Amino acid sequence: MRTAYSVETVRTAERELMARLPDGTLMQRAAAGLAAACADLLGRVYGSRVVLLVGSGDNGGDALYAGARLARRGAGVTAVLLAPDRAHAGGLAALRRAGGRTAAPAAGAELVARADLVVDGIVGIGGKGGLRPDAVPLAEAARRSRAAVVAVDLPSGVDADTGEVHGVAVRADLTVTFGTHKPGLLVDPGREYAGSVRLVDIGLALPGEPALEALQHADVARLLPVPGAESDKYRRGVVGIAAGSARYPGAAVLAVSGALRGGAGAVRYVGPAADAVIARFPETLVSDGGPRKAGRVQAGVVGPGGGGDGA
């Protein structure tokens, strides 16, 4: 089960934790997790070309500190600073001490085109209303490039609380998020922009009631009943399917396939695609007498591929 908390809840938890920790500890935890994820994605860090897209907030600071860690391992790291006068001072100093370089946004597209890895640290979870115009060319360059794209906490341009995308947004192969998932990582269309999501524990104490819960494959598997030694096809439940037509027999075949794969004990089919169904799934109970005479079922599927011509 993946749980997500709102930006307001996350901010409150961060403030409470930072009050108990030495200055900068939380950002270093995030940067360490981010750098480890980037290294895993690269495979070989030494000699790789890494471009950081750095905005003015703490999100950019995470990217700069992570870039410094990669530079110390031999990567060639360049930070494209969208707001040089407001870039995180500590992170910028750390990157330069590690041998990293900086560049202006005008050079960003060319750098991204040659990169092995692009780190999106443009906007953090507080961003609203889409990317600013100066960031749009960088997001588009990242999309066109062959580089792996890693988003810091959330792809820039995605609303953290709703998953909404207004205009251009960064499309990530991997999002490294901190403390907890944000709703925008689990809700479309933001989920599509996030790619794979890696959660880094930074020690946040979060309330028991999340804003959103998302089932994973293992959660669904645990909800499904497991047949016992005495189970037979009728005890496990029968699905009735009235689907398909002469024009769309495949719809019937797909519906029957889904019912069988979903764990139904038996499937009863009625409709004009009986031959196609039996040819693919001979275990199906086929009837030509209509749904009322097909026998008792516990669940039904009606309509897919029925067509509009009466076939």
Side-chain angles (χ1 to χ4, degrees), residues 119-140:
V119 179
D120 164 32
I122 301 173
V123 183
I125 60 176
K128 297 289 183 183
L131 292 177
R132 294 182 178 178
D134 59 345
V136 169
L138 296 176
E140 292 178 334

Side-chain angles (χ1 to χ4, degrees), residues 137-188:
L138 296 176
E140 292 178 334
R143 178 180 56 80
R144 293 192 302 268
S145 77
R146 296 184 178 180
V149 179
V150 177
V152 181
D153 216 9
L154 185 87
S156 296
V158 173
D159 188 294
D161 279 336
T162 67
E164 292 178 304
V165 176
H166 301 281
V168 176
V170 172
R171 283 190 177 270
D173 298 296
L174 171 69
T175 295
V176 181
T177 196
F178 310 121
T180 181
H181 293 90
K182 286 72 185 179
L185 296 173
L186 306 179
V187 178
D188 288 328

Side-chain angles (χ1 to χ4, degrees), residues 162-279:
T162 67
E164 292 178 304
V165 176
H166 301 281
V168 176
V170 172
R171 283 190 177 270
D173 298 296
L174 171 69
T175 295
V176 181
T177 196
F178 310 121
T180 181
H181 293 90
K182 286 72 185 179
L185 296 173
L186 306 179
V187 178
D188 288 328
R191 184 180 63 86
E192 295 183 8
Y193 286 77
S196 300
V197 179
R198 180 165 170 173
L199 177 62
V200 173
D201 183 7
I202 56 174
L204 297 184
L206 294 158
E209 190 66 29
L212 184 147
E213 293 181 336
L215 292 174
Q216 303 302 293
H217 293 296
D219 302 311
V220 175
R222 282 193 293 270
L223 293 173
L224 294 175
V226 178
E230 297 182 353
S231 298
D232 58 39
K233 61 185 179 183
Y234 295 109
R235 290 181 182 180
R236 290 173 59 187
V238 180
V239 176
I241 295 178
S245 61
R247 178 177 292 183
Y248 306 118
V253 173
L254 291 172
V256 169
S257 174
L260 290 170
R261 289 178 179 271
V267 176
R268 297 187 188 276
Y269 174 77
V270 294
D275 290 344
V277 168
I278 287 294

Side-chain angles (χ1 to χ4, degrees), residues 70-125:
L70 295 173
R72 288 197 293 270
R73 293 180 58 178
V77 183
T78 303
V80 178
L81 305 179
L82 278 80
D85 56 333
R86 291 183 289 142
H88 191 279
L92 192 55
L95 178 68
R96 286 171 170 159
R97 286 195 301 270
R101 299 177 297 170
T102 61
E110 184 177 350
L111 289 166
V112 168
R114 301 198 304 266
D116 300 304
L117 179 73
V118 175
V119 179
D120 164 32
I122 301 173
V123 183
I125 60 176

